[in-house]
Structures are given as C-alpha cells and as structure tokens.
Amino acid sequence: MFITLAAYFFYQFLTGKYRLSPLWLMLSAWSLSLGIPQLNLSKLEKPWSFEFWLVVFISLISFVLGFLIFDKLWKEYPFWKNWKWLDRGNVSVLALRMFIYLLFFVSLGALYLFYIKAGTFPLLAPDPDVFRFVADEKVPGLINYCAQLARIFIPLSFFLIFWERFDAASHLDLIVLVLVGTICIVLFASRTQIFFIDLWVMALYLFMRNPNLKQAVRFYPFFLLVSVVVLAAVPLIRQYKSYGAGYLAGVTQIDTSNLQPAGKALLPIYVGVSFNMQALLHAQQYYETHPVQMGKVTLDPFTNIL
C-alpha cells in the first residue's frame, strides 16, 4: 500500500496539481519510509503502536497544511518583489563567480591543512567511523569547516548555472568545480552533508528555472540517481572498512542467508530507514512512559519532520 502511495505521489509530482513541488517528493519519500519498515527483517524491531502511527500522520498532515498555507500567502502577498536584491539587474555574475572561486581555493587550502594534521581523510582511513572522532580532536574547527566549503560553493555554482541558463562552454569551469567539490565532500564520509547539498540544488532548480515537465523529467531522475548512488555508496564503504562484511546484518540480527547479492547491497538502506523510524518509536514511547516524564511530555508533531 505504501509503495503504491509513493508511486502515486511521485506521479502527482510530475503531472498533478502543484506539479514539480517538493510537497509530492516529501510525501513520496515518507510513504517509502513507512512502507519499507513493514518488512520487519530484524528481530530487534518493535511493533509500531497506535500512538506512534498517530504522531507520524499528525506530522505529515501538519507539513501538508503548512505547505498549503505558505503557498497561498506566497501567491497573495508577493512581498519579495519589493526586495531589490532579487532583481536580476542587481546580481553581478562576475562577482558571484569570483566568490565561488574564492570559496573553492580556500577549501583546497583547508583540505591540505586537514590532511597535514590528520594524516588522511575519513573515507580513506582504515576505520572511518573511529577516525572521524580522532580528526575532530586533531584538526581545529575552522580548518575542518573550511575544508568542507563545497557545501556552499556547489549550490552557488548551480545557482549561477540556473540563473544564466546552462551552456556547456561558458559553464565548464563551474562543472569542474562541482565535480571536484563533490569528491572532496565525499571524502568526509558524511551522508548528511551530501543530502543537504541535494536539497539546496533541487530547491534552486525549482526557484530559478520554474521548469516545465520535459525539463524536470530530464533533470530530476539523473540528479536523484547520482545522489542515491553516492548516498548509498558512502555508508557501504564506511561500514565495510570500519566493521567488515556482515557486520550490519549481525548487529541488527537480520538473516541474510536467503538474500540475493542485490538484496544484501540494499540492506543498509533498509536499516537506515527502518531503524531511524525505530528511533522515533523509542523516543515516543520514552516520553509517554518513562517514570521521569510520567507522560507529561509528548512528542510534538513537528519533531518527526525534523
């Protein structure tokens, strides 16, 4: 049922009302997040209570209502039209390009300092999970942050590309910066950073291009495919190097003896989705039943959105 809902919401994203809106992507992703854990592959997973289902659906309803209200206000009160800095004539393409280059070279310098102080990068370390904590102690916070400035100059590069309309010749340098920045950010073995870059780029694409269906169908599937591959590859490599083959199945008590190679490769996705939902379930049960709280504190609906 949830897989069907996910497909329906994605269809609405392509063809329905509020076409190409992140609303449908959000609902499609949440439908998958609700459906995947129903496989119950792990013995450690607790059954979902009625109260937990209620919290989840209140969260989603709150999100939809918030979107509809904001969309109505956005259209009826276009306050942003009074902001001069949003006027295309006030945007200096050259200045923005120079700023992107500045961030890029600062990040390269910080990456070099990170390597000198830490000796390697998390994804290349023998034990990436342990090394990330070691690196936090060895590398000053400012260097660590600047080394990951790709989080900023990649979205800005896409902003400039969408602003000017893509041209392979004039934007070749920005493409190179994006590719190099992607490699650099992957070295830190953090899915969260890659995910937020994805959100930035997708939002900018909608805001700047206001694409038609043909453009969106060309852009989104390729972009999402690359993103999913990177997001899946990073934890797989990190897990294998830190814990060895079979660790994830062992620690989650999932029987993989009957799984095909493709199923084993997708196991981290199942664990990531299912056990994140289990974490929310445990939190909800804790606040409802823990003797310190005595049920006085409950999860507000917005907690699950975050």
Side-chain angles (χ1 to χ4, degrees):
M1 181 181 74
F2 290 109
I3 305 302
T4 303
L5 275 177
Y8 169 76
F9 288 135
F10 191 76
Y11 177 78
Q12 291 298 311
F13 169 75
L14 294 176
T15 62
K17 189 178 181 181
Y18 304 113
R19 186 166 56 89
L20 308 180
S21 168
L23 168 69
W24 299 121
L25 287 180
M26 171 75 172
L27 292 177
S28 180
W30 261 99
S31 296
L32 288 174
S33 298
L34 294 176
I36 290 174
Q38 307 313 312
L39 295 173
N40 292 316
L41 298 181
S42 172
K43 300 176 181 177
L44 301 178
E45 295 178 73
K46 290 186 175 182
W48 292 9
S49 64
F50 171 78
E51 291 81 4
F52 180 68
W53 280 105
L54 186 61
V55 169
V56 170
F57 281 115
I58 290 176
S59 301
L60 294 177
I61 292 171
S62 301
F63 175 81
V64 173
L65 290 177
F67 169 85
L68 295 175
I69 293 171
F70 181 81
D71 181 70
K72 186 174 181 62
L73 293 175
W74 180 266
K75 292 178 179 177
E76 292 191 4
Y77 304 98
F79 57 87
W80 68 91
K81 291 184 178 180
N82 298 323
W83 296 351
K84 294 183 179 180
W85 61 275
L86 285 177
D87 186 351
R88 282 182 177 268
N90 294 329
V91 175
S92 173
V93 172
L94 179 60
L96 180 56
R97 209 182 200 101
M98 292 301 101
F99 182 64
I100 292 171
Y101 270 97
L102 174 64
L103 294 178
F104 175 73
F105 285 114
V106 169
S107 70
L108 288 184
L111 283 165
Y112 173 75
L113 293 176
F114 186 100
Y115 181 80
I116 292 298
K117 291 182 176 296
T120 186
F121 295 100
L123 195 64
L124 304 179
D127 190 335
D129 279 0
V130 171
F131 179 81
R132 289 196 298 171
F133 294 101
V134 174
D136 287 340
E137 298 178 357
K138 291 183 176 181
V139 182
L142 182 59
I143 295 177
N144 203 335
Y145 179 82
C146 290
Q148 301 174 62
L149 281 176
R151 294 176 291 185
I152 300 176
F153 71 72
I154 289 178
L156 286 179
S157 298
F158 275 99
F159 175 88
L160 195 54
I161 290 172
F162 296 151
W163 184 273
E164 295 183 311
R165 302 282 176 168
F166 175 71
D167 177 73
S170 61
H171 293 134
L172 179 60
D173 59 330
L174 295 179
I175 296 173
V176 172
L177 294 189
V178 167
L179 292 176
V180 173
T182 301
I183 294 172
C184 293
I185 209 70
V186 167
L187 289 175
F188 287 88
S190 174
R191 289 170 295 176
T192 305
Q193 296 190 41
I194 302 169
F195 177 68
F196 278 115
I197 291 175
D198 284 354
L199 291 181
W200 267 108
V201 173
M202 292 174 70
L204 285 170
Y205 183 70
L206 285 171
F207 182 72
M208 299 300 304
R209 292 295 302 274
N210 191 21
N212 57 38
L213 178 60
K214 184 177 179 180
Q215 292 172 326
V217 168
R218 290 173 60 186
F219 174 78
Y220 272 109
F222 175 77
F223 185 76
L224 289 175
L225 177 63
V226 172
S227 300
V228 168
V229 168
V230 174
L231 287 170
V234 168
L236 281 173
I237 296 173
R238 195 176 73 192
Q239 168 204 322
Y240 180 79
K241 295 187 70 175
S242 294
Y243 309 108
Y247 169 81
L248 190 61
V251 76
T252 55
Q253 297 184 22
I254 295 177
D255 182 11
T256 60
S257 58
N258 296 321
L259 291 180
Q260 299 296 322
K264 293 179 180 179
L266 294 173
L267 187 63
I269 297 177
Y270 171 82
V271 172
V273 173
S274 184
F275 277 78
N276 272 311
M277 297 302 293
Q278 283 289 310
L280 291 175
L281 173 62
H282 281 259
Q284 185 268 336
Q285 292 178 344
Y286 172 87
Y287 282 110
E288 290 287 353
T289 61
H290 196 271
V292 175
Q293 302 296 340
M294 295 297 183
K296 294 179 181 179
V297 179
T298 59
L299 280 179
D300 64 273
F302 302 100
T303 303
N304 281 318
I305 293 178
L306 300 175

